[in-house]
Amino acid sequence: MPKAATIPTATMVTAKPMLKHKTSSAPVATRHGLTILPERIAGAPDAPQTMLPALTAAENAAVPLIIGGWSRRKAVVKAKEMLAEVGLADRVHSFPNQLSGGQQQRVAIARAIVTDPALLVADEPTGDLDAKSAGEILDLMQRLNTEFGKTIVMVTHDPNAAARASRILHLEKGVLVEDTHVAKGAAR
């Protein structure tokens, strides 16, 4: 099945003004072939496999803040708040090998939102999860969108994940073949 890019917000247009608005003193730069955006613009819940095994869930979630110059103590406090938001308040001291795949994905989401970005970019956030954990992650992402106003761009092969979006862009071989807007309150 071709990848479908899903956007659980009204339109992607909401992100464009944010990209023009300077939200950080850090300039947009390229480092080691990667584009570095000001931290308040974009966050990407990366693969749980990128968690550092010697760090606790709180320390893993704090990494972007520490890299950004926060003191370790303040960064871990903020990361614990984000872990509570994603339902892991009781696992802040757990190491990656003590967490399930779904819990590791929640840590990745906490790490992505710890800098309070306006935009989250998620590549197959439910790809390696069982159906129950995948549903919980999708519920969490919907909550981040509706309650916290995060614009979410999700790339997925999963039709259940795509069905949660308010807009679905269907791509085949890199070409947009369908752009579907889902009406609010419509059965999905």
Side-chain angles (χ1 to χ4, degrees):
M1 176 178 278
K3 280 192 173 186
T6 62
I7 305 173
T9 57
T11 66
M12 184 58 192
V13 174
T14 58
K16 288 183 180 177
M18 291 179 234
L19 294 174
K20 291 179 185 173
H21 179 71
K22 188 172 176 92
T23 58
S24 168
S25 59
V28 174
T30 301
R31 193 178 308 153
H32 305 295
L34 300 173
T35 301
I36 309 299
L37 295 173
E39 68 276 0
R40 293 202 24 104
I41 292 179
D46 48 10
Q49 302 88 317
T50 63
M51 290 181 65
L52 301 170
L55 300 182
T56 65
E59 292 164 335
N60 267 287
V63 166
L65 296 175
I66 294 168
I67 290 171
W70 285 47
S71 74
R72 184 186 176 285
R73 185 183 63 74
K74 287 182 180 178
V76 169
V77 167
K78 178 70 172 174
K80 286 178 180 179
E81 292 172 13
M82 294 303 100
L83 288 166
E85 288 293 339
V86 299
L88 290 179
D90 61 334
R91 303 307 303 257
V92 297
H93 300 294
S94 298
F95 290 92
N97 66 350
Q98 298 170 321
L99 300 171
S100 70
Q103 290 170 328
Q104 290 180 13
Q105 187 63 39
R106 287 174 183 266
V107 173
I109 292 170
R111 182 171 45 204
I113 64 172
V114 74
T115 59
D116 193 24
L119 173 66
L120 293 177
V121 180
D123 183 7
E124 298 283 359
T126 60
D128 294 330
L129 303 178
D130 62 76
K132 181 180 182 287
S133 295
E136 291 170 354
I137 294 301
L138 293 172
D139 289 344
L140 172 60
M141 293 183 85
Q142 247 178 342
R143 186 173 148 248
L144 290 171
N145 173 247
T146 57
E147 291 179 28
F148 296 95
K150 303 297 179 196
T151 297
I152 300 173
V153 176
M154 180 189 336
V155 178
T156 186
H157 287 92
D158 180 0
N160 293 322
R164 301 278 193 111
S166 59
R167 183 175 181 193
I168 300 171
L169 302 174
H170 185 95
L171 304 173
E172 286 185 18
K173 297 181 181 180
V175 177
L176 179 65
V177 295
E178 185 178 358
D179 183 350
T180 306
H181 294 265
V182 180
K184 281 205 180 262
R188 296 187 187 188

